[in-house]
Amino acid sequence: MKLTIITGASRGLGAAMAGLLIGPTHHLVCMARSALPDLQRRALAAGCALDARRVDLSDIPAAVRTLEESLSGIDPDVVSEAWLINNAGTVLPVRPADQTQPAEIVAGVAVNLAAPMALTAAFLRLTANWPERCQRKVVNVTSGAAHKPYQGWSVYCATKAALDQFTRCVALEQQDLPRGARIASLAPGLMDTEMQAVIRNLPPGDFKEQPRFLAAKQSGQLVAPEAAARRLIAYIESSDFGMEPVVDLRHH
Ligand SMILES: NC(=O)c1ccc[n+]([C@@H]2O[C@H](COP(=O)([O-])OP(=O)(O)OC[C@H]3O[C@@H](n4cnc5c(N)ncnc54)[C@H](OP(=O)(O)O)[C@@H]3O)[C@@H](O)[C@H]2O)c1
C-alpha cells in the first residue's frame, strides 16, 4: 500500500494531486479547513482509503496532532512508500511590510513555513522505525518567489525562501542516516488556481506586479493544476527525487 499525506487538498494543486493518486492500492490522508466531499466520493468509488481531516494548519499543535492521529491508524508493515506533501499555502498578506499587521504575518508564516516544518519533523520521527523497505519522501511545495523578491509579497517570499533552506538542512541530516528519508522543495510554476485569482482580485494599487499576473492569465500562461500535479507526481516517483533539495519543475 502507498501512503500519501497531502495538505491543502481541498482545491488547486493539492486537490489535483489527491485526485491523481486515488486508486485501490493507495491510502490518502488529506488535510484542509474545508470538507472534501468530491474527493471522498471518488475515493469510495475507486476503493481507495481516504482519511479527510479538517484542520487549520495555522494551529501548529492541531496540525501535528492530526498527523499523529492519522498515522496511528496505519500498519507500517503494509506500507511500501510513504509520502508527506506539504502543499497548503497562502499568498496573503499582500501589502507593503510597513502596513502589515502582526497577526497577518504570524498566520502567513504559520501556514507556509511553521506547519510544513512541524509536519516534516513529526512525519520523520513517527516513521523513523518503519520497515526498511518503506521508502519515505517529503515534498515541500515552494515557489519562484523564494528567489525573486516582489514588492508586497514580503511574507510569501520570505516563507518560501525559508522553506527551501529548511529542506536543504533536513536533506543533509537524512543523508547521514542509514535509512534516511528523501526530501525536496519543488516549485510547480504558475498555475490556474484560486491563489492566482486572489492575486488578480487584489485592490488595484496594492500589488505593483498585478498587471503581469493579469497578463499571464489572459495569455494562457497559467498551467492547469492537473497538469502541474501530473508533473510533480512523476518527479516524486522518479529516481531523481531527493538528489537536489530544491527543484524548479519548470526547468525539468
Ligand atoms: N498558484 C500558483 O501560481 C503557484 C505558483 C507557485 C507555487 N504555488 C504553491 O502551490 C501550493 C498550492 O497552491 P494553489 O495555487 O493550489 O493554492 P490554492 O488554490 O489557494 O489552494 C490552497 C490550499 O491550501 C489550503 N490552505 C490554505 N490555508 C490553510 C490553512 N490555514 N489550513 C489548512 N489548509 C489551508 C486550502 O484549503 P482550505 O482553504 O480548505 O483550508 C487549499 O486547499 C502553495 O504552496 C503555493 O504557494 C502556487
Side-chain angles (χ1 to χ4, degrees):
M1 178 260 276
K2 289 185 178 180
L3 168 69
T4 302
I5 301 132
I6 306 183
T7 67
S10 61
R11 58 174 189 267
L13 180 63
M17 286 191 287
L20 287 172
L21 292 171
I22 284 175
T25 59
H26 227 113
H27 183 115
L28 295 175
V29 177
C30 293
M31 297 188 202
R33 288 166 302 184
S34 317
L36 308 170
D38 183 49
L39 277 178
Q40 283 182 306
R41 213 172 18 250
R42 290 167 58 195
L44 190 65
C48 174
L50 190 144
D51 181 4
R53 299 275 176 163
R54 291 183 76 170
V55 58
D56 185 340
L57 294 171
S58 64
D59 180 345
I60 309 302
V64 171
R65 223 170 23 246
T66 302
L67 180 69
E68 287 170 347
E69 283 169 13
S70 297
L71 290 183
S72 71
I74 305 275
D75 174 4
D77 287 333
V78 301
V79 182
S80 56
E81 280 195 44
W83 299 357
L84 168 65
I85 306 181
N86 286 306
N87 160 78
T90 178
V91 73
L92 299 174
V94 178
R95 208 169 298 139
D98 62 359
Q99 294 164 34
T100 306
Q101 298 305 309
E104 297 174 313
I105 296 172
V106 170
V109 171
V111 175
N112 290 349
L113 179 61
M117 289 173 72
L119 289 174
T120 299
F123 175 82
L124 293 173
R125 175 172 50 81
L126 293 166
T127 60
N129 294 321
W130 283 21
E132 198 167 349
R133 64 183 179 77
C134 174
Q135 283 188 37
R136 296 176 303 137
K137 297 180 179 177
V138 177
V139 179
N140 289 322
V141 178
T142 185
S143 163
H147 311 283
K148 180 172 164 37
Y150 290 89
Q151 290 183 23
W153 275 14
S154 57
V155 174
Y156 187 66
C157 292
T159 54
K160 292 298 186 181
L163 185 63
D164 287 357
Q165 194 69 328
F166 170 74
T167 304
R168 292 186 185 97
C169 294
V170 178
L172 290 176
E173 293 167 4
Q174 294 294 310
Q175 270 168 28
D176 274 359
L177 299 177
R179 301 165 45 201
R182 293 188 192 187
I183 180 166
S185 268
L186 305 181
L190 292 186
M191 298 174 291
D192 201 358
T193 64
E194 192 169 315
M195 185 176 278
Q196 286 292 325
V198 166
I199 296 165
R200 288 193 301 277
N201 292 326
L202 289 164
D206 268 19
F207 181 43
K208 195 178 168 192
E209 305 255 5
Q210 192 181 40
R212 207 189 116 206
F213 287 84
L214 287 164
K217 169 72 173 171
Q218 277 157 10
S219 60
Q221 286 172 50
L222 302 184
V223 173
E226 293 72 23
R230 221 169 278 121
R231 192 157 57 173
L232 209 127
I233 289 170
Y235 186 78
I236 303 170
E237 285 173 338
S238 78
S239 55
D240 285 348
F241 182 84
M243 307 300 264
E244 295 282 335
V246 179
V247 177
D248 190 331
L249 289 179
R250 285 170 302 183
H251 307 138
H252 260 266

